[in-house]
Amino acid sequence: MNRRKLIKTVGSAGLGAVLAGCSGGGTEDGSTGGSSDGTPTESAGMTATESESEDTAMSGAPSLGEVVISHGRTPSQTDPHHHSLRHTSDALINVYEGLMMLDTSREPAQLVPKLATDWELVDDTTFVLDIREGVQFHNGDTLGVEDVVFSIRRMADPDIDGATQYQGDYDAILEEVNGDEEDRTVTMHLTQRDSLIAQVVASASKIMNKAWVEERSREETAAQANGTGPYQVDRMQDGIEMSLTRFDDWWGNDVIGDWVGEPHTDIEHPIPERLTFSGSSEASTRANQVIAGDSHLVTNLNPADFDRVDSSEGARMKQFTIDRTQYIAMNDLYEPFDSQEFRQAMNYAIDSEAIVEEVLNGRGTAEGQPAPPSWPGYNPDVDPYPHDPEEATRLVEESGYTGEMELELKAAFGRVSKGRETALAVANQITESVPNVTCTVNEMSEAALDDIKRGSGPEDQEGRGDFFMNNTGGSPAHAARGKVNSYIYSGGHSNTFSDSEIDELFEEAVSAPRDELDEIGHEMMELVHEKAPWLFLFIRGGAWGINNEIDLAPSANESMEPYEIHPYDGN
Amino acid sequence: MFWVSVTGIFALRQAIPGDVVVMMTPPDTEPAVRNAIREDLGLNDPVHVQYFEYTTDLLGGDLGYSHFTSTEVEALIAPRLGPTVELAFAAMFVAIVFAIPFGIISARNRNSKTDLSVTLGSLVGVSTPNFWLGLLLVLLFSVWADLLPVARRPIGLGTGLAMLFTEGSVSGLVSWLRHITLPAVTLGTYYMALLTRLTRGGMLDELGQVYITVAEAKGLPSVLREYKYALKNTLIPLVTIVTVNIGGLLNGSLIVEAVFNWPGLGNLFLSSINLQDWPTVQALLIIVAAAYVGMNALADVLYTYIDPQVELQ
């Protein structure tokens, strides 16, 4: 591939990654086609509740018509491998499917089959998947093993269409992948034992049609779509709206009852006929849209609008905890953060529960570990650091950093709600709690903060900032590895911490049998809490406004499956 | 002037912190790869070389590539032009349709209660922030009265007209009108107030001129005096304001487009800034400059039509 093409493809993946996700990107946070108006009450031929469709593909129950979903941003493109914006994923999850899915609505979260019917780690370095038969792409092609092999290679190998957001998932573990069309199996050869390989594959296996992709340029795969999912892209307008229509030959129509299983066994309704994803950057506009019935579901509402939405006749609020951790990194290559006592003191100096209550209006949960509660391996016995100025002062003295000092908390506020207020509260609390420390906030642009979060790349801990606020979300993972692998393990791509005990435990977790992993996760969370590489703040809360025409349960990663959307019965 | 703007935009990009290659690449990209990309993009070249390449591409019509959407910037901007043009002209239509009659009525009834009411209304209109007015109108007409939609533009004017002529259906046009009404009124209110003030002031000036007194002495009817002569002369400064402000509106109204989720250039500008999509931001800034220069030139041309004393040289 030529360099120009590489740059374009690398760019699309990387920029998305920065903005969205794993390292603190956008949390806040097409055209409708065929609709005469686009609103639920006026859309062409159907509304969310009035469409008594003849289509009874799944159960014979009446179908929902068009469901309009408004996020802070619009899906940016249709290539499932070359973006990592959450709002784009929320739309494309309906178009491109993975081999398995981590169902976080179960307790504990559990992998359920999708395009793979079964999978097994047959020996330390061989992972075999059985590929489902009878699956059709939207263009009518049948899913073959070669499509799965091609898709995994495309995600892992930058020489095929450029670097993707999933490359890091496969880089260290995938040696080769090949398939057997007769047995309908795909075999992944690993460089080392990885007990979480199934989970990695679940989050990084959006399957594309090999022949279809090879006939198209990168620009075309970013503007068109051909997946196996329950919806096909009807119309896509960059940054405006993405409109999906139901794919009636979806394989899931025949098996959804068995496939979904508990707790979804009460599903007795077809999926909506149409999904429209729209972006409204103003939170107050989203609130008005759901109250007035212009949108059925709006995400990331401002606390100021909660009561208005909840007390309206047409809509209601749903608040829940999401998998996004807000923290302040303390780079242990720099003074005074090279002292464990000092880092702990910073944690004792702040009152994270008060920040959640006062700044976030209770929309979050104070935490003392990197993993969110929904992840396997989360340690429920690790509490947030208590607010204890005396202990903070004592620890600072013990650290030896007793002279007057000024800390500069670097932060950018464009991507998270209440970011500025959070940073100021932290700075004030540190200044008030520890007599010899004055903390100020240095507001930076997102671009400048991205620079200091990443340095020049992996293995450049020195190039990263000393003290900066960040948030991290991403796909559901395991506490023994998720977040630690990127930010706290010394080999992480954005690490600001190096500690031999944590490294050792992390490396043990990589190859540990699955049944030992939860215990390692607990130990990891306890160790990280004690070493305090971060100033732990909170897990953010999510807030949806849902129009009373539909109902669905939020999940911790804020994604939504179409079969979970059903008419609201008032309960 | 246009080139000064282009140079300023280029300089702005150089001054803003942040490494574009860091933003472009996944976190685990090796430094060597990043450096290779920097080299290929020409970011390691001296600034004057970068400037030359940038302007050369621009002259060739290449606005750049949006890495965020994997799209050429021209393709990203093209579908946004229609909504922005629609909104700009609709807002100006709302402004002119109300402003000129109000201004005339106010001038003809100088110092009356009507004049005071119009003046007060103009003052409020000029002083009301767009975002506040937009939210207020949404609350009144969408949330409470349920008369108009809150946001979005599912059907464009072109599609609505196509539906009318090919299918004989007015539903597309009705939908378009319903969706554009609140943003157009929100955006047009400021200009309505401004033009009302200008029309009133201009009319008062003209009505006090000697030629109007002479016309009156010669028995010319008041309709002709006021509308054929006084109003026409009043229109000259109005043309300047309208054309220059349409130039501004064509760049998209950031706030109104955000409040109403109107898919125009303003909304794209906001999202591109948030996403640090610099090629798109640069292209939009260039369009801003071009629109201002173009509309100023158009205003000069229109002068010659309205005022025979003005000649193009």
Side-chain angles (χ1 to χ4, degrees):
Chain A
M1 94 189 302
N2 66 34
R3 189 73 68 78
R4 168 91 170 165
K5 190 175 175 188
L6 169 69
I7 290 164
K8 287 185 177 184
T9 48
V10 162
S12 64
L15 185 54
V18 176
L19 300 168
C22 299
S23 63
T27 58
E28 302 294 319
D29 329 55
S31 93
T32 59
S35 164
S36 68
D37 184 290
T39 66
T41 52
E42 299 181 356
S43 57
M46 67 190 81
T47 71
T49 52
E50 73 189 13
S51 170
E52 301 292 327
S53 169
E54 73 283 358
D55 188 338
T56 53
M58 285 158 51
S59 67
S63 165
L64 287 163
E66 181 184 34
V67 169
V68 181
I69 298 162
S70 295
H71 293 303
R73 285 185 185 146
T74 309
S76 60
Q77 57 168 307
T78 55
D79 191 324
H81 300 161
H82 286 280
H83 76 87
S84 64
L85 283 179
R86 202 194 68 226
H87 302 327
T88 303
S89 298
D90 282 346
L92 290 184
I93 195 175
N94 301 289
V95 179
Y96 287 101
E97 296 177 296
L99 294 168
M100 303 87 99
M101 178 183 78
L102 188 66
D103 187 349
T104 53
S105 63
R106 299 163 192 250
E107 289 286 346
Q110 191 181 325
L111 286 173
V112 295
K114 289 195 97 171
L115 297 182
T117 53
D118 200 7
W119 52 90
E120 187 184 3
L121 193 58
V122 293
D123 60 44
D124 277 0
T125 57
T126 311
F127 184 63
V128 179
L129 301 115
D130 295 337
I131 305 305
R132 187 179 295 277
E133 291 187 79
V135 175
Q136 266 191 31
F137 285 100
H138 300 153
N139 69 348
D141 289 356
T142 302
L143 172 71
V145 164
E146 65 167 4
D147 297 313
V148 177
V149 172
F150 168 76
S151 298
I152 293 174
R153 285 181 181 158
R154 187 175 190 255
M155 284 182 275
D157 186 351
D159 287 339
I160 306 173
D161 284 350
T164 72
Q165 57 159 324
Y166 300 110
Q167 199 183 316
D169 293 323
Y170 287 117
D171 251 359
I173 55 166
L174 184 64
E175 190 167 280
E176 176 58 86
V177 55
N178 46 47
D180 185 326
E181 198 68 59
E182 276 189 21
D183 292 347
R184 286 195 72 78
T185 56
V186 167
T187 303
M188 297 172 71
H189 300 283
L190 312 178
T191 55
Q192 58 181 317
R193 181 184 173 84
D194 189 329
S195 52
L196 285 180
I197 181 65
Q199 209 158 314
V200 170
V201 172
S203 69
S205 61
K206 294 289 182 283
I207 302 305
M208 301 181 81
N209 181 331
K210 179 174 186 277
W212 184 86
V213 173
E214 287 178 342
E215 286 167 4
R216 282 164 177 77
S217 67
R218 273 281 294 112
E219 285 78 9
E220 287 170 327
T221 58
Q224 305 165 16
N226 178 35
T228 60
Y231 289 89
Q232 46 195 334
V233 175
D234 180 27
R235 284 182 66 198
M236 164 77 185
Q237 281 183 268
D238 294 330
I240 300 175
E241 284 187 350
M242 182 187 281
S243 192
L244 313 178
T245 54
R246 195 166 63 196
F247 177 49
D248 289 332
D249 292 328
W250 180 45
W251 60 272
N253 288 333
D254 301 326
V255 297
I256 189 167
D258 304 329
W259 164 55
V260 174
E262 294 287 349
H264 304 291
T265 48
D266 61 342
I267 291 172
E268 291 178 348
H269 54 86
I271 58 177
E273 291 175 23
R274 190 177 192 84
L275 296 179
T276 295
F277 291 85
S278 164
S280 294
S281 57
E282 280 294 311
S284 56
T285 299
R286 294 196 295 278
N288 288 329
Q289 283 180 294
V290 76
I291 291 171
D294 277 20
S295 292
H296 294 95
L297 169 66
V298 298
T299 60
N300 200 28
L301 287 176
N302 267 342
D305 292 318
F306 287 2
D307 286 344
R308 197 160 65 88
V309 172
D310 221 16
S311 61
S312 69
E313 287 182 9
R316 63 203 187 281
M317 287 289 307
K318 286 204 176 184
Q319 293 189 64
F320 52 100
T321 300
I322 58 177
D323 291 348
R324 187 158 284 280
T325 306
Q326 187 89 27
Y327 68 95
I328 292 168
M330 296 185 279
N331 193 330
D332 71 341
L333 288 186
Y334 293 95
E335 294 181 345
F337 305 113
D338 56 345
S339 160
Q340 180 172 318
E341 289 78 15
F342 191 90
R343 296 192 303 270
Q344 288 175 334
M346 294 299 98
N347 276 284
Y348 281 112
I350 64 151
D351 188 345
S352 51
E353 287 179 357
I355 291 174
V356 169
E357 282 308 311
E358 301 300 324
V359 175
L360 301 184
N361 295 62
R363 196 179 146 200
T365 312
E367 273 301 345
Q369 57 190 310
S374 64
W375 284 15
Y378 170 83
N379 191 335
D381 297 328
V382 173
D383 293 324
Y385 277 88
H387 179 49
D388 189 342
E390 286 179 13
E391 180 67 2
T393 306
R394 187 191 70 74
L395 282 165
V396 168
E397 284 171 7
E398 199 176 315
S399 74
Y401 289 106
T402 51
E404 291 293 321
M405 71 173 71
E406 290 188 4
L407 297 181
E408 186 184 72
L409 172 58
K410 298 162 189 72
F413 307 124
R415 295 177 189 156
V416 294
S417 66
K418 302 289 183 183
R420 179 177 287 104
E421 292 87 342
T422 300
L424 289 171
V426 167
N428 286 340
Q429 288 178 357
I430 289 173
T431 303
E432 286 174 10
S433 300
V434 187
N436 65 318
V437 176
T438 303
C439 185
T440 55
V441 176
N442 175 6
E443 180 174 352
M444 315 180 84
S445 68
E446 295 288 357
L449 190 70
D450 281 336
D451 280 358
I452 70 164
K453 282 197 294 198
R454 294 181 172 207
S456 65
E459 300 171 13
D460 185 27
Q461 186 184 340
E462 196 175 352
R464 293 188 249 283
D466 59 345
F467 192 49
F468 60 87
M469 190 164 81
N470 191 23
N471 74 87
T472 166
S475 303
H478 195 284
R481 290 169 49 178
K483 301 191 197 294
V484 174
N485 60 344
S486 302
Y487 306 109
I488 298 170
Y489 171 59
S490 64
H493 60 64
S494 300
N495 74 306
T496 50
F497 194 68
S498 301
D499 179 86
S500 57
E501 281 184 74
I502 288 179
D503 284 2
E504 206 171 294
L505 192 59
F506 176 79
E507 281 152 15
E508 185 185 336
V510 169
S511 55
R514 179 65 185 84
D515 56 3
E516 292 176 15
L517 211 53
D518 287 357
E519 196 178 322
I520 295 175
H522 292 164
E523 195 181 336
M524 178 69 86
M525 292 299 97
E526 202 174 320
L527 187 61
V528 170
H529 177 84
E530 183 194 336
K531 299 276 183 183
W534 291 357
L535 200 166
F536 300 102
L537 292 174
F538 46 77
I539 306 289
R540 284 191 168 269
W544 284 1
I546 302 182
N547 185 272
N548 286 343
E549 293 181 17
I550 66 160
D551 197 15
L552 78 164
S555 67
N557 62 356
E558 285 196 289
S559 67
M560 60 207 79
E561 296 286 343
Y563 52 80
E564 293 185 338
I565 302 173
H566 53 86
Y568 182 52
D569 60 7
N571 295 313
Chain B
M1 189 55 158
F2 178 66
W3 215 248
V4 171
S5 307
V6 167
T7 306
I9 291 162
F10 176 81
L12 189 65
R13 174 64 194 102
Q14 303 300 315
I16 299 284
D19 183 342
V20 67
V21 178
V22 170
M23 290 188 288
M24 282 169 56
T25 48
D28 45 1
T29 305
E30 292 296 331
V33 175
R34 284 198 176 133
N35 200 42
I37 295 170
R38 245 179 232 115
E39 190 68 34
D40 199 78
L41 280 175
L43 296 175
N44 291 340
D45 294 341
V47 174
H48 68 276
V49 175
Q50 292 185 45
Y51 176 73
F52 178 75
E53 288 184 358
Y54 168 65
T55 50
T56 307
D57 287 346
L58 203 58
L59 284 173
D62 182 359
L63 291 174
Y65 185 83
S66 165
H67 300 282
F68 172 65
T69 55
S70 300
T71 314
E72 297 293 341
V73 170
E74 303 91 277
L76 200 59
I77 286 175
R80 306 300 194 115
L81 280 172
T84 289
V85 170
E86 287 171 13
L87 184 56
F89 281 92
M92 206 45 87
F93 176 78
V94 168
I96 291 170
V97 159
F98 289 99
I100 292 178
F102 283 159
I104 294 169
I105 292 168
S106 189
R108 291 184 65 188
N109 301 281
R110 189 179 186 184
N111 294 334
S112 67
K113 284 183 182 173
T114 308
D115 182 28
L116 285 175
S117 303
V118 172
T119 304
L120 184 65
S122 304
L123 196 63
V124 171
V126 168
S127 314
T128 306
N130 268 346
F131 73 91
W132 184 84
L133 179 63
L135 291 175
L136 187 70
L137 292 176
V138 165
L139 277 179
L140 284 174
F141 293 99
S142 305
V143 176
W144 293 340
D146 197 19
L147 291 174
L148 294 168
V150 174
R152 297 170 65 213
R153 174 188 170 272
I155 296 277
L157 177 61
T159 310
L161 289 172
M163 287 171 70
L164 178 65
F165 292 121
T166 58
E167 303 166 20
S169 166
V170 295
S171 63
L173 274 181
V174 170
S175 169
W176 176 77
L177 268 174
R178 283 168 46 73
H179 281 87
I180 203 170
T181 300
L182 290 184
V185 170
T186 304
L187 194 54
T189 295
Y190 170 82
Y191 296 103
M192 178 174 30
L194 186 68
L195 294 180
T196 301
R197 302 279 301 154
L198 285 171
T199 306
R200 178 185 178 275
M203 281 293 283
L204 286 175
D205 283 348
E206 293 301 324
L207 290 174
Q209 295 288 326
V210 176
Y211 75 90
I212 292 290
T213 311
V214 172
E216 188 176 3
K218 285 189 169 184
L220 206 64
S222 65
V223 173
L224 284 179
R225 290 198 313 270
E226 290 169 5
Y227 295 104
K228 183 171 180 184
Y229 299 108
L231 180 60
K232 189 173 180 184
N233 288 333
T234 302
L235 288 179
I236 294 172
L238 291 189
V239 167
T240 313
I241 297 294
V242 168
T243 47
V244 169
N245 280 297
I246 282 183
L249 290 173
L250 285 179
N251 306 311
S253 167
L254 302 187
I255 292 168
V256 172
E257 289 192 3
V259 167
F260 291 97
N261 192 20
W262 192 258
L265 295 176
N267 229 339
L268 178 64
F269 193 64
L270 271 183
S271 66
S272 302
I273 287 174
N274 282 333
L275 299 169
Q276 295 146 35
D277 187 357
W278 259 103
T280 308
V281 172
Q282 281 185 166
L284 288 169
L285 288 173
I286 288 167
I287 289 174
V288 169
Y292 270 110
V293 171
M295 294 313 287
N296 272 305
L298 180 63
D300 290 342
V301 172
L302 286 175
Y303 276 162
T304 60
Y305 171 73
I306 295 169
D307 186 353
Q309 297 176 72
V310 178
E311 284 183 15
L312 285 180
Q313 302 238 330

